[in-house]
Amino acid sequence: LGFATAGRLTLPLLTGLGTAGIGVAYLGMAAAPSLGVACVAAAIGGISNGIQVVAVVTLLQGLVSLRVQTRVMAVWESMNALIPGIGFALGGVATALFSPRATFAGAGIGVVLITVWGMAVYARRRGEWEAASAPDEPGVERRARETARPSGGHGAPAGVPSKPSEL
C-alpha cells in the first residue's frame, strides 16, 4: 500500500510521515503490554525510518547543486553518525533517572511534536520553497550542464579540479 501511494505523496510529506512514524513507534514501545507488541512497534519504527531517510536524501540531492552535493552529503552522513551517539548517551541517562517506558514516551512525544511543528512550518512556507526549488529547465539537462567538463565528459564541474592534488 505504501509503495502504491508513494508516487502521489511529496517528499516533504513522506519525510514528515516517516518521522511521525518513528515517534509513534517510540510511543508504542513505551505503552507495549508485551514483548511482541513492542517488537511490532519497533518494526513500524524501522520501516518509518527507511521512508524518512530515503525521502530526506532524495530531497537533499534534488535541491543541492552537484557542485556542493558531496559536501552536503558528507555533513548529512556525519550528523547521522554523531546524533545517534548523543541520543544513546542521553537515552541511557534518562533511563537511569526514570525508566525505559518513560524514556521511550519522552522520545516519542518529542519526535511527534517536532514533526508537527516542522510540517506546520512547511505548510506555511510551501509555496515559497517550491518556487525557490523549481528548476528553470529539466533537472537532467541542468545537472548534465553543471557536471560537464570542457572536454564534454561528465564528472567534476567545469573549472573544479578532478584530482585532490590539483586543489
Side-chain angles (χ1 to χ4, degrees):
L1 177 66
F3 289 110
T5 61
R8 294 184 220 124
L9 300 176
T10 64
L11 289 171
L13 183 57
L14 283 172
T15 301
L17 290 173
T19 306
I22 294 167
V24 168
Y26 287 155
L27 292 171
M29 287 185 277
S34 68
L35 181 59
V37 174
C39 288
V40 169
I44 291 169
I47 292 166
S48 298
N49 183 56
I51 292 168
Q52 177 206 42
V53 168
V54 170
V56 169
V57 169
T58 304
L59 271 171
L60 283 174
Q61 290 176 341
L63 294 173
V64 175
S65 167
L66 286 178
R67 296 177 198 275
V68 295
Q69 197 172 86
T70 302
R71 293 178 193 151
V72 170
M73 294 312 294
V75 169
W76 165 257
E77 292 297 335
S78 296
M79 296 305 289
N80 276 332
L82 174 66
I83 299 302
I86 294 170
F88 291 145
L90 292 175
V93 169
T95 300
L97 292 174
F98 305 107
S99 72
R101 285 185 188 274
T103 302
F104 275 118
I109 291 167
V111 169
V112 169
L113 288 176
I114 289 170
T115 303
V116 168
W117 172 79
M119 294 307 292
V121 169
Y122 171 73
R124 277 197 311 271
R125 301 189 66 190
R126 179 176 164 188
E128 175 184 328
W129 289 340
E130 286 174 353
S133 66
D136 295 331
E137 53 192 88
V140 173
E141 292 176 21
R142 178 176 46 108
R143 291 197 185 274
R145 217 174 347 276
E146 281 182 355
T147 60
R149 291 186 181 169
S151 66
H154 292 281
V160 175
S162 58
K163 298 178 193 168
S165 61
E166 295 174 354
L167 294 176

